[in-house]
Amino acid sequence: MSLREPTSLAFIVIPSLRLFNPLIMPLAPTDVFFSLRTLTWRHLCNGYEITAITDVPCHLTMRWTTVIPQRHHVPRYQRGIYLNSEIYLCFVAYHDNEQEEAGDTLEHTFIKRNWPICETRYFTFWGTIAGIPCRSETAYFTLHFDIVHLTIYAQANNRSIRGNSVDWATCHDAPLGFMNEWHEGPFHILLTDATLTASYWVYRSYLTFNTSVLPAGAAVSDGFLEVYLFSKLFTSSVIHPNITITQGVQHNPVIPADYGDQLPFTEDGGSISLGDMVVDQYNAIQLTAHGRSLINPAGTTRFCLRQQLDIEDVPPPLGSNQIIYHSIQKGGQFMPRLTLCYPPL
Amino acid sequence: MAKIKTLPGRAIISGFKGKLDFYVYMGQPCVRRWPQSPGKARAPAVMAWWAPFSYASKEWNNLSLVVRRAYEELATGTGLTGRDVFTRAYITGLYRNPVP
């Protein structure tokens, strides 16, 4: 088309499209939004615990895939030239997992276990507010899973100490206990117990691990204690079902005074319900943050397994809440063991 | 906006700079008043979107580095910044597959 001096201009006026722009949809009450502000993650022994924080309370779902999302550019013709500024993303072959917390929250936790070693996953988040889907979505993030497992067996000084009396306070608060010498074959059997029969019985079992084998700089992010159950009884109190790891204060070797010294140490280092424990196999007790804080990378780590009635100082109803598990002396695939997980150095 | 038969000469087009804008749209020479301030009036639908857009612009400053880097990575190779991508994600979403 050539440019030349016009002799006349013929105009056809077209009304401005601004007033009738169909692309500007009215903002509806159901248009709700959220913004993902922070994202952190912690290595687990077999996956990640991912924590997201948003600007408004909402219920998030994590959408993840092992297929890298493709980014496509859409050229946009604007005033005579093509601009390569439009993008859209494709998220395919995905799985949706809701947050752990119920309802709308500011903090959102996703626990992803059974994540294969060396698998990379891409994930994004979408949400609802009061059940209404949000218009907002987030960028996608990438995590590659790699972890080191270190298994440590208990030391030979593993023991149980018992208290016994017809009076609960005397049994529970005694400064000295009785070293349990009940053997299974030639091996020590370890008990954790709170029982009422003709009298009250409390057993506290003590395990010590040489955790100085942890390499320097290893940041333990997850771990679990496993005991191989010989037998269990769960007949006393179903509302106090837990076997709990507490900080141990035992000497080496364990002495009767360790029974009374253990009394004030009740913080939960990891618990498992008696109802979930299975005889004739290993039972894993996941360490809590407190449990992980008890790990001593410079020396030994001491644990004491106590029953919930013992920890809460509640006299057991008639019956037993008890586990009996194998000691290190049993050998083979029966020994109490501690597995610690940390990201590769 | 008006349709014209042919575009005028360069000198005339330059002379109208700041008042009239000549261009070709799909092969049709056109002219319009430009720049043209709409004044303070905006359509209600336009004004309704000011609040979320303004919020998204400010919200960028509240994002952690990890989150910001994710948006900046998405913006690479486009004419957009990470902030632009975040604003778009906040208001309209980013992905082709719709959420339930």
Side-chain angles (χ1 to χ4, degrees):
Chain A
M1 181 166 310
S2 61
L3 300 178
R4 60 178 176 82
E5 296 292 331
T7 54
S8 66
L9 293 172
F11 292 92
I12 301 175
V13 178
I14 298 175
S16 169
L17 290 175
R18 265 204 319 275
L19 294 177
F20 306 105
N21 192 339
L23 298 178
I24 301 178
M25 304 299 292
L27 186 65
T30 53
D31 286 323
V32 290
F33 313 91
F34 77 91
S35 158
L36 177 71
R37 287 188 167 174
T38 66
L39 189 70
T40 55
W41 51 88
R42 175 173 71 93
H43 279 82
L44 303 174
C45 287
N46 57 355
Y48 281 103
E49 179 185 84
I50 298 166
T51 303
I53 295 178
T54 52
D55 61 331
V56 295
C58 55
H59 193 82
L60 285 192
T61 296
M62 185 171 88
R63 176 163 288 179
W64 66 270
T65 179
T66 55
V67 179
I68 184 168
Q70 293 297 310
R71 186 175 63 173
H72 303 281
H73 291 266
V74 179
R76 187 171 149 191
Y77 189 72
Q78 195 169 357
R79 297 194 60 198
I81 61 170
Y82 280 98
L83 297 174
N84 213 24
S85 61
E86 287 287 334
I87 60 168
Y88 68 88
L89 297 160
C90 286
F91 213 85
V92 300
Y94 58 82
H95 310 263
D96 278 351
N97 296 126
E98 276 187 68
Q99 64 182 54
E100 295 289 319
E101 297 85 353
D104 292 352
T105 57
L106 287 173
E107 188 170 312
H108 317 268
T109 307
F110 303 87
I111 298 176
K112 299 302 301 169
R113 294 197 179 274
N114 302 316
W115 190 318
I117 299 279
C118 284
E119 182 177 271
T120 300
R121 292 185 181 178
Y122 311 89
F123 54 97
T124 180
F125 300 92
W126 60 271
T128 59
I129 296 178
I132 301 171
C134 299
R135 293 177 67 100
S136 309
E137 292 172 335
T138 72
Y140 72 84
F141 304 87
T142 306
L143 276 180
H144 177 84
F145 181 61
D146 197 7
I147 197 76
V148 178
H149 290 79
L150 179 64
T151 297
I152 308 167
Y153 292 94
Q155 294 187 325
N157 63 351
N158 50 182
R159 285 294 187 277
S160 298
I161 310 178
R162 75 170 188 273
N164 172 240
S165 174
V166 294
D167 174 67
W168 168 251
T170 306
C171 169
H172 181 261
D173 303 341
L176 298 176
F178 295 91
M179 300 297 296
N180 185 58
E181 300 299 338
W182 182 19
H183 290 232
E184 166 63 19
F187 314 116
H188 293 283
I189 287 292
L190 301 170
L191 288 90
T192 294
D193 184 25
T195 286
L196 171 61
T197 53
S199 57
Y200 291 104
W201 300 82
V202 168
Y203 281 87
R204 297 165 186 161
S205 56
Y206 296 88
L207 299 171
T208 306
F209 299 90
N210 176 19
T211 43
S212 66
V213 297
L214 275 167
V220 175
S221 56
D222 194 16
F224 47 93
L225 172 67
E226 292 177 284
V227 294
Y228 198 106
L229 232 58
F230 175 78
S231 79
K232 79 171 187 182
L233 292 171
F234 189 22
T235 59
S236 176
S237 170
V238 296
I239 60 174
H240 300 89
N242 290 336
I243 301 294
T244 300
I245 300 169
T246 60
Q247 180 181 353
V249 295
Q250 63 269 29
H251 292 80
N252 184 19
V254 177
I255 60 176
D258 291 337
Y259 181 86
D261 292 344
Q262 190 64 44
L263 199 59
F265 294 89
T266 58
E267 190 169 350
D268 185 357
S271 291
I272 185 171
S273 169
L274 271 163
D276 295 332
M277 299 187 85
V278 181
V279 179
D280 292 331
Q281 69 176 49
Y282 272 113
N283 291 262
I285 307 173
Q286 203 77 31
L287 295 179
T288 61
H290 173 65
R292 294 195 300 275
S293 73
L294 299 177
I295 304 298
N296 177 12
T300 57
T301 298
R302 294 174 290 172
F303 290 142
C304 176
L305 292 186
R306 298 175 67 179
Q307 211 280 320
Q308 188 176 353
L309 290 159
D310 172 18
I311 288 177
E312 296 180 10
D313 195 8
V314 174
L318 189 66
S320 294
N321 278 15
Q322 176 195 89
I323 61 167
I324 305 177
Y325 59 99
H326 288 293
S327 65
I328 194 77
Q329 283 78 9
K330 177 75 172 178
Q333 289 300 309
F334 300 94
M335 301 183 284
R337 60 192 186 194
L338 177 67
T339 298
L340 301 175
C341 305
Y342 54 91
L345 300 172
Chain B
M1 191 268 279
K3 293 181 183 178
I4 54 179
K5 288 185 179 177
T6 60
L7 286 177
R10 177 73 70 183
I12 293 176
I13 291 174
S14 299
F16 281 112
K17 179 181 175 182
K19 292 180 183 173
L20 291 181
D21 177 37
F22 293 86
Y23 61 98
V24 176
Y25 178 70
M26 296 181 70
Q28 170 65 50
C30 303
V31 61
R32 62 176 176 173
R33 274 189 296 174
W34 192 262
Q36 181 181 8
S37 171
K40 294 181 181 177
R42 294 289 190 280
V46 172
M47 289 194 287
W49 282 100
W50 285 350
F53 185 87
S54 170
Y55 182 88
S57 299
K58 294 172 192 168
E59 183 64 11
W60 172 258
N61 299 321
N62 295 327
L63 304 186
S64 68
L65 278 177
V66 166
V67 176
R68 284 199 204 183
R69 279 199 205 108
Y71 288 106
E72 284 162 1
E73 196 171 314
L74 284 182
T76 54
T78 73
L80 305 173
T81 64
R83 191 182 210 136
D84 297 332
V85 177
F86 166 71
T87 304
R88 181 171 301 188
Y90 181 84
I91 293 177
T92 62
L94 280 177
Y95 304 100
R96 275 291 170 100
N97 43 286
V99 298

